[in-house]
Amino acid sequence: MTATTAPAGAPTAHRVSVARGYRFELVKLLAQWRVRVLILLSWIGPGLAVIAVSGQGTLPSDTLFGREMHATGWAGALVVLSFAGSWVFPLLTSVVAGDVFSAEDRLGTWRHLLVAVRSPRRIFITKALASLTVLMMCVPGLAVSGIVGGLVVGSRPLTGLDGHLLSPADAAGRLLLAWLCVLAPILAFAAIGLLASVIFGRSPIGILLPAFGGLGMQLASQVLPMPVAVRLTLPSFAFLSWNGLFTSPPTLGPLITGIAVSLAWAVTATALAYVLFMRRDFTSLANDGSMRRAITFGILPLLGVWVLSAGVLAAATGAAGSGIDAVKLQRSLATSFAHIYRLQSQELYHQNVTAAELRARASCTKGEGMVAQQGPGVDWRCTVYWRLPGSGAATGAAIYQLDASPNGRYVADGDGPQEVNGYFILRTSYGDAPNPLWQFDGLIDLLAPTSKG
Amino acid sequence: MPIGEIADVCAVRARGITKSFGDVIALDGVDLDVPAGQIHGVVGPNGAGKTTLLGLLLGLASADRGRLEILGTPVSRALAAPDGVAGFVDGPGLYPSLTARGNLAALAALRGPGAPTAGIDEVLEQVGLTDVADDRVRGFSLGMRQRLGLAAALLTRPRLLVLDEPSNGLDPAGKRHVDGVLSQLAADGATVVLSSHRMGDLEALCAEVTIIATGRVVFSGPLSKLAAGNQELDYRLRTSDADAARRLAAGTDGVQVIDDGGMQSDSEVLVVRTLMSALDELVPALVRAGIAVRELTPVVSPLEAAFLALTEQRAEQQEASQ
C-alpha cells in the first residue's frame, strides 16, 4: 500500500489504555451469572462444607487430613485445599480463563471489540488480566471460607504428616503458605485455559480443556507407572506438593519443583496464546478451532516443556524410578509412629516419652518380598519397633499395612497389636476419638536420595 | 486535487484497493469517493465484497494494494482508522449479559473521559430504546439489537458511520426511526456509508450509491444518474380510463404495453415498458386526452433494475473471460 503522511490536524486513532480495557473486560466477566455464582460459592461453599462434614460421623478419610476433621478445624481447611486442587481449581480456570476469548467468538463481538480498542495486544493483555482477577476473587474466598469454617469447628493443634503436633498458629501459617504455593499451578492452568480459548474459538473444547486436562493429568499420575521426575513435572502435581509443608522439616524438593514447573507452563502457555492471538485473522467470523493448530501450537510445545523440565529435574537430583522405596517408607513411618505414640501416651495418661527416647525404627517389605521393593501400592507391610525408657532390652513391635500413593502420601493402617495400633476410642479434650496410632497419614520425600541401611 | 483539499471534501477516498483472502479476490482495484455529509449506499450481490470494503473503512483489515484515506488520514494498516469512525459489519457487537445501558456505559468507559462521547440517555432516545434501557440485551429482538448497535456507534459522535445492513430485522416504525437518525446525522455533517439488500431503503436514504459485483465497482455516483440511464423500465400506470390509456400508450412511440398475463388484479392499472424520455411524452398525452393519471411508479426500482442489469452483466463478462 502506498504510504502517505497524515495531513496536519487530521484526526488520529484514539488509544484505549490498558486500564480502561481491563475495566471493560472485568465488567463483561462479572456480568455473567456463572462467574458471579462461582465467586459467591467460593466465599460461602467451603466454610459451610467444613462445618457440615465436621459434624458428620463419617469423615472423608481418603482425603488428606480428612480423618482429623473432628480433632481440629484446621484439618477441615486443609481438606478444602486438597479438594480444590483435585476438582475446583481446574474447573474454575476452565470456566473463567478457558472462556475469556471464546466468549467473543460465540457472541460474534470480535469486530466490535477491535474497532473499539484498536489493539489486539491490549485486548490480549486486558483479557488475561481480567480473567486472572476473577480467579483471584475466587481463590482467597476458598481459603478464607475454609479457614472460617475450620475456626467454627475449633482451633486445636493439628497432627502433621510426620506425626508432629502443630500448634494452631503454626498450622495457620503453613496453611496460608500452602495457599500461596498453589497459586503457581493455578496460573499454569489459567494459561492453559487462555491458550485453549484462543485455539478453539467458539468450540466448547476450549472451556473443557483445563478441567479435563487437570483431571487427565491426575488420573495419569495415579494410574500410569511414571518415573518420579516425570510425575513431579506435571503442573497438576503442584496442587499436591504443598503437603510437604506439613512435615518437620518441610519437604521442599517437590514443592519447589512444582512451583517452578507450574510457572514454566504458565509462561509458555501464555506466550503461545499471545502469539496465536496476534496472528489471528479477524476477518473470518467463524473460528471453530483446529485440532492441527492445537497439536502444533498447544500440545507439542507444552509436551516439550514437560520433557525438558523432567530431564532437568532428573539430571539435577538423580531422581529415578518411582521415588518410593522401603528405606524412605521405613524412615518416615518410624518418625510418624514415634510422634503419634507420644500423642497417644499423653491422651492415655501413660508415661510421657519423647520421640527420640522411643528410638523407633521400621522394617518394610512389599508384596511379601516377592516383588521389587519399591514403588507405590497397597502391598507394603511394615513392622515398627520401639523401646520405652527404663524398660531394659524389651522392644515393642507393631505391624502396619501401608497404602503408598504415587505422589508420596501413604496411609498407615494398624494391624496389631490391638492395644497399640488397633481400633479403640480415646477420650480427648474435644470428645471421643479413635486411637491416633490406628490409622494415620504420612508423606515421603520423592526426591530424597535413597541410602541403604 | 491536493490531498488537503480532498480531505475537506471526501470522507472516504479509495484508489485501486485490492484485498484477497488466500486465492479469493474480495476487492479488485476498487475506487471510491464518498463526499462528507452524505449518505452513501453500497450495493452488491452476496459475496461481492461489500462487507470486506466496509471492514476496511472501519479499520478491521488493511488492503493488500491501493491507497485509502479516511477523514483525510491515510490508512495503511489494520486498526489504524482515525477517531471518528464507528459502525459495525456482520451485525452489532453486543454483550447479552449486560443491559442496553450497561453495554453503552461499558463502551463509554472504554473510550475514557478524553474522547468525544455522546450521552447514553441521548443516544438511547435517538434510536428509540429508552423504555428498554435497563433490560438485558439477551432478550432483545434482532431489530432492537440493530438499534442498540447504532446507538453504540452514535455514542462515539462519529464523523464517518459505517453500517452493514442496518435495517435488518427492523419493523417499519423502527426503520423509519433509524432512517430519521441517519438523515439527521448526515444533515449535521457526518458521513454515512451503509450497505443494504433493500434497494428501496437505499433509494429513500442515499444521495449516491456504489454498486459492487465480484469485487469490482460497476457503478458509483448519484442515484439520479443511475435512474436516468438509457434503460427501459416497467411502470405501473393507474388512470381514470384504463382502456383509453392502453390504446394511447400502445400508439406512443417507444412505449410498450406489457401483458402481465392476468397478474394485475386491478383493472384500472396497466404496465408499460419504456424509456424515461418516452414516458415524458406519454403522461402529457394522457392528460391532453382527458385521462387522469392517478399513479405512476416503477414496478422495479431504478436502482434495483440497474443493480440487476449491472451485476448480471458483470457476471456474464466474468464467465466469458473464463
Side-chain angles (χ1 to χ4, degrees):
Chain A
M1 230 174 144
T2 312
T4 47
T5 311
T12 52
H14 185 78
R15 287 176 67 87
V16 173
S17 69
V18 170
R20 288 202 298 273
Y22 166 72
R23 186 178 176 278
F24 183 66
E25 293 299 333
L26 206 53
V27 165
K28 287 190 296 183
L29 273 174
L30 294 177
Q32 295 175 28
W33 66 266
R34 63 171 183 269
V35 171
R36 293 183 189 186
V37 167
L38 273 179
I39 294 172
L40 188 70
L41 283 178
S42 299
W43 283 87
I44 296 174
L48 293 178
V50 168
I51 294 168
V53 173
S54 297
Q56 301 294 313
T58 306
L59 295 175
S61 54
D62 286 344
T63 306
L64 195 62
F65 294 107
R67 71 182 80 251
E68 283 197 73
M69 284 183 77
H70 282 156
T72 173
W74 295 107
L78 284 162
V79 167
V80 169
L81 180 54
S82 281
F83 182 78
S86 298
W87 303 98
V88 180
F89 295 143
L91 191 68
L92 203 59
T93 50
S94 283
V95 173
V96 180
D99 193 41
V100 70
F101 288 93
S102 47
E104 305 285 354
D105 281 300
R106 280 200 313 280
L107 299 173
T109 43
W110 274 124
R111 290 173 171 184
H112 160 78
L113 192 59
L114 282 165
V115 168
V117 179
R118 297 165 186 263
S119 163
R121 189 179 68 87
R122 263 170 280 165
I123 290 174
F124 184 87
I125 292 169
T126 53
K127 280 189 172 296
L129 286 177
S131 58
L132 195 61
T133 304
V134 171
L135 286 174
M136 289 307 117
M137 286 178 182
C138 296
V139 174
L142 290 165
V144 170
S145 180
I147 291 169
V148 169
L151 291 174
V152 169
V153 172
S155 175
R156 289 181 287 269
L158 172 83
T159 307
L161 294 177
D162 59 353
H164 260 105
L165 209 56
L166 303 172
S167 69
D170 196 5
R174 290 175 196 236
L175 174 63
L176 290 176
L177 196 55
W179 274 100
L180 285 177
C181 292
V182 296
L183 290 181
I186 289 173
L187 284 178
F189 274 76
I192 293 169
L194 290 182
L195 179 58
S197 187
V198 169
I199 288 177
F200 289 104
R202 62 184 179 183
S203 161
I205 297 173
I207 304 174
L208 300 174
L209 196 72
F212 282 105
L215 296 177
M217 284 183 204
Q218 285 183 38
L219 196 65
S221 68
Q222 290 290 329
V223 174
L224 299 178
M226 294 179 186
V228 63
V230 175
R231 189 183 309 282
L232 262 60
T233 45
L234 275 173
S236 62
F237 187 83
F239 283 136
L240 307 171
S241 58
W242 57 267
N243 298 354
L245 291 171
F246 290 84
T247 59
S248 297
T251 310
L252 293 179
L255 183 65
I256 292 167
T257 303
I259 291 171
V261 164
S262 295
L263 293 178
W265 277 65
V267 168
T268 308
T270 306
L272 288 168
Y274 176 76
V275 170
L276 283 177
F277 184 72
M278 294 300 287
R279 288 173 54 180
R280 181 173 167 176
D281 175 13
F282 289 97
T283 50
S284 167
L285 276 182
N287 174 23
D288 290 323
S290 141
M291 191 47 77
R292 202 179 71 172
R293 207 157 55 123
I295 292 169
T296 311
F297 293 101
I299 295 171
L300 288 179
L302 291 176
L303 274 178
V305 172
W306 186 20
V307 170
L308 184 68
S309 50
V312 168
L313 182 65
T317 62
S322 66
I324 299 170
D325 59 32
V327 176
K328 289 182 186 178
L329 283 173
Q330 286 163 186
R331 196 186 302 144
S332 173
L333 181 65
T335 305
S336 291
F337 179 88
H339 288 128
I340 298 173
Y341 186 95
R342 182 168 185 256
L343 180 68
Q344 185 203 51
S345 299
Q346 288 168 346
E347 287 173 349
L348 289 170
Y349 305 103
H350 286 176
Q351 180 184 3
N352 195 9
V353 290
T354 65
E357 287 170 337
L358 287 172
R359 284 184 287 170
R361 60 190 169 83
S363 171
C364 296
T365 53
K366 189 174 195 296
E368 297 179 341
M370 306 292 284
V371 297
Q373 297 302 294
Q374 59 181 7
V378 294
D379 53 349
W380 282 100
R381 194 168 173 81
C382 302
T383 305
V384 183
Y385 304 96
W386 74 100
R387 241 186 272 178
L388 283 174
S391 63
T395 300
I399 297 169
Y400 279 95
Q401 198 72 37
L402 258 61
D403 179 359
S405 302
N407 58 27
R409 176 198 167 194
Y410 64 85
V411 178
D413 190 358
D415 209 8
Q418 168 69 22
E419 61 277 19
V420 177
N421 65 2
Y423 178 78
F424 55 86
I425 297 296
L426 294 173
R427 188 163 296 278
T428 66
S429 56
Y430 57 87
D432 290 346
N435 170 19
L437 280 174
W438 170 52
Q439 283 180 334
F440 56 88
D441 293 307
L443 184 73
I444 60 166
D445 184 352
L446 294 173
L447 288 178
T450 301
S451 56
K452 300 287 178 192
Chain B
M1 193 183 285
I3 287 176
E5 287 180 38
I6 293 165
D8 292 339
V9 179
C10 279
V12 176
R13 185 169 190 260
R15 289 292 176 272
I17 294 292
T18 299
K19 179 74 181 172
S20 304
F21 299 104
D23 296 335
V24 179
I25 300 171
L27 295 175
D28 186 5
V30 167
D31 293 343
L32 179 68
D33 287 308
V34 181
Q38 191 185 79
I39 303 180
H40 190 100
V42 177
V43 200
N46 292 333
K50 300 187 300 291
T51 300
T52 304
L53 179 60
L54 298 189
L56 290 180
L57 300 185
L58 280 171
L60 284 167
S62 60
D64 300 331
R65 282 198 307 277
R67 194 168 77 162
L68 177 64
E69 285 179 20
I70 298 173
L71 299 174
T73 304
V75 177
S76 57
R77 59 184 172 82
L79 304 176
D83 209 18
V85 181
F88 56 80
V89 289
D90 286 321
L94 301 167
Y95 296 98
S97 50
L98 295 172
T99 62
R101 192 189 300 282
N103 267 282
L104 298 181
L107 196 60
L110 185 66
R111 288 172 59 76
T117 304
I120 291 170
D121 289 332
E122 179 193 338
V123 295
L124 282 169
E125 190 181 348
Q126 266 184 288
V127 300
L129 290 178
T130 304
D131 292 344
V132 292
D134 295 314
D135 291 357
R136 289 191 192 281
V137 172
R138 183 173 289 117
F140 277 22
S141 67
L142 175 60
M144 290 161 83
R145 284 169 189 257
Q146 294 284 97
R147 283 198 267 172
L148 185 57
L150 177 59
L154 294 176
L155 194 68
T156 64
R157 292 198 184 282
R159 296 201 296 128
L160 172 62
L161 184 61
V162 180
L163 301 171
D164 190 14
E165 303 280 352
S167 55
N168 257 6
L170 290 176
D171 57 26
K175 189 190 155 314
R176 196 161 56 185
H177 204 118
V178 167
D179 286 357
V181 171
L182 298 182
S183 299
Q184 185 57 50
L185 208 61
D188 292 343
T191 309
V192 180
V193 177
L194 59 89
S195 74
S196 178
H197 282 112
R198 298 183 190 175
M199 301 302 163
D201 294 356
L202 293 181
E203 279 178 303
L205 269 174
C206 299
E208 293 189 359
V209 292
T210 294
I211 300 177
I212 300 179
T214 58
R216 287 194 173 174
V217 172
V218 292
F219 174 83
S220 190
L223 274 166
S224 55
K225 192 176 159 190
L226 194 65
N230 294 326
Q231 189 188 356
E232 285 188 333
L233 289 179
D234 291 354
Y235 294 89
R236 273 167 52 90
L237 178 62
R238 183 193 295 272
T239 60
S240 54
D241 186 345
D243 291 336
R246 183 183 296 272
R247 283 194 299 275
L248 191 59
T252 305
D253 281 347
V255 177
Q256 184 187 353
V257 178
I258 302 297
D259 181 8
D260 61 6
M263 295 286 284
Q264 195 62 255
S265 58
D266 191 342
S267 60
E268 291 181 357
V269 172
L270 70 149
V271 176
V272 294
R273 179 169 298 161
T274 176
L275 292 170
M276 187 72 80
S277 54
L279 197 65
D280 290 346
E281 289 177 15
L282 175 62
V283 174
L286 287 167
V287 175
R288 281 197 300 272
I291 301 167
V293 177
R294 293 174 176 161
E295 182 189 333
L296 180 62
T297 52
V299 174
V300 177
S301 76
L303 177 59
E304 192 166 348
F307 169 77
L308 291 170
L310 289 167
T311 52
E312 281 167 9
Q313 191 182 356
R314 169 75 185 143
E316 283 165 11
Q317 281 172 357
Q318 204 171 37
E319 274 177 28
S321 68
Q322 284 171 352

